[in-house]
Amino acid sequence: MNLFSIDLTPSEIQLLRQSLDVISIAGKDAKLVANLQIKLESELHAIQVQLQEAEIQKQQDLLKAIEADKKKK
């Protein structure tokens, strides 16, 4: 099986995930759709974690800069 990468924004991934809730499918496609929903939800969760970690790092860097500035004075 080949795996392909595609560049999507978090908003695009969210839209794809939501659209899977309202499509009409045949029974044979149910497992495929369910697996796709799981993959998209997993990616969205990973994106959320990554964004939260980046925000925490940004806040820590800001605090370090503020402390360094206080030491200069």
Side-chain angles (χ1 to χ4, degrees):
M1 174 194 330
N2 291 331
L3 296 177
F4 299 97
S5 179
I6 179 172
D7 292 330
L8 298 172
T9 66
S11 295
E12 291 168 332
I13 295 170
Q14 183 65 38
L15 176 66
L16 288 172
R17 172 59 192 94
Q18 289 173 349
S19 69
L20 290 174
D21 288 337
V22 294
I23 62 172
S24 297
I25 59 170
K28 66 180 181 174
D29 297 324
K31 187 174 182 178
L32 175 66
V33 171
N35 286 335
L36 184 54
Q37 287 173 321
I38 291 167
K39 284 181 181 181
L40 290 171
E41 285 185 20
S42 178
E43 283 298 314
L44 287 168
H45 177 73
I47 289 167
Q48 264 186 330
V49 169
Q50 186 178 6
L51 290 174
Q52 288 172 345
E53 288 173 352
E55 183 62 29
I56 289 169
Q57 184 63 47
K58 190 166 82 171
Q59 290 176 3
Q60 289 173 344
D61 291 345
L62 178 60
L63 289 174
K64 286 179 187 176
I66 291 170
E67 288 298 319
D69 189 51
K70 285 181 182 178
K71 287 180 182 178
K72 286 182 183 178
K73 294 180 180 181

